[in-house]
Amino acid sequence: MDIPLLPRPFGRFVRRLLCLTALPIAAVGLGPVAVSAQSAAAPAAQPAPKPRPALRAGGTGPVMVGEISGEIGRGLVPYVERLTREADQREARALVVRLNTLGGEIGAALEMKRALLAVKAPVIVYIEGDALSAGALLALTGDRIVMAPGSEFGASQVVSGSGDILPEKYQSGWREALAATAEARGRDPRVARAMNLQLDTITEIGDTPSRLVTLTPSQAMTVGYAEAVSPTLNGALATVGLAEAPRETVSPGWAERLIGFLALPAVASLLMGIGLAGLFLELKAPGHAVAGTVGVIALALFFGSHWLVGLATYLDVILFVGGVALLILEIFVIPGFGVAGVLGILGIVSGLFLALVDGGTVMPTLGQLVPAMLSLIVSLVLAIGLVYSLARWLPKTDSFGRLVLAASLQTDREGRLSRAADVIGRTGRTLTVLRPTGLVSFGENDRVDAISEGGFIPAGTAVEVVRVASADQIVVRPTALA
């Protein structure tokens, strides 16, 4: 949704700025990140099923079959959009969705619901196992619902990251999304609302106000939420007269599976952590490119996957890249950690944070902010842990020692020294401020990571090497050059 009265690109820009204004709220708040499933034992089946309107006509093409299973997340959205797009392009007689999920992310479920409601062909939902939590919303998109024996359908409440049921202001929107979807397919919205919060007694199934509604197959038929019970997909199609129709299965492609995997919160945090650690190590000891290359690849995978699932935008990437550029400027051009350094850090953090929040959101809810903030915190902690571990472990390895010393301390035709011990007493100049670490130059192509022996040393100061701290770092003190 675009900001009214604003040009489309500018409206998108303002949305991201509004997301940034909500960043401090996420640090202290808790919000909905998923929908919980709370089931209760169902009473025995009763009366005959309610009559349903005639199934709307489809096209002349094949029956398209897709599957939504496991946790509902952002990675499934591109697949469902492709599934519905192909059903329209092929003029499908019907779109069949095999459904088995305990729920997941609200935002992803809402996007998939919109795609399924918009498809031209009639939608047949076959509940193979469970359609609980956010899965209940997807089940309600079906023009016809067929359930497998032993399956269940309903129990949908918005919960926080810790699993606590959130207050009414969070439940209301979700409850009405359930009701509106049910109503769009000609079903009683009271039952859909009761899946979230028991407002009315559903007398047809002997329900009471003390529990959320979770429907068994027989109960779903009684209240008009399911048309049949079948142990197989063929049987389900037979109930709507499509058993003999040509059929095509649309499965997630390898790219969609990969994007879905990379967009998982845990994987996203890992990629961010590796990326930040790689960039830090490269800026700390430039010239080897290994850490920088790994960092760039990890961050490219992070931003690319989040771009493709609709989370990251141009603004997010620009903020991040601009932040890195400002840090490089601070370190190599105007050292001293001033305005450029602070703005650089803010740009990096803001870019990563916004890439975790829905790019189409006008004003994010706590349900979007808190998971994004948690992922960002985890990635920062991971980056710090990686940098600390590598700084302690790598210098002790022979391969790393050869890599670093061969590049900066060995004697060759350019006159570099052959052993670390030979560096002691050598003089040079600080390229950056040592506070207490930085870079020291011993010639045009000879820069070494250094640490001050006694504290702050300004850039451009003559220094002398007093000892070698590790395979990639020397200790220096101010001196007078001859």
Side-chain angles (χ1 to χ4, degrees), residues 17-36:
L17 292 183
L18 288 173
C19 288
L20 276 181
T21 63
L23 177 57
I25 301 174
V28 296
L30 289 175
V33 295
V35 186
S36 71

Side-chain angles (χ1 to χ4, degrees), residues 308-320:
L308 292 172
V309 299
L311 290 176
T313 67
Y314 284 111
L315 176 61
D316 312 338
V317 178
I318 291 172
L319 280 172
F320 182 84

Side-chain angles (χ1 to χ4, degrees), residues 19 21 61 106 117 166 195 199 204 213 244 333 342 367 383 392 398 448 458:
C19 288
T21 63
I106 291 176
L117 286 180
L166 293 186
M195 292 178 178
L199 300 174
E204 297 93 327
V213 166
E244 303 301 323
V333 181
V342 173
R392 287 183 60 87
D398 293 338
V448 181

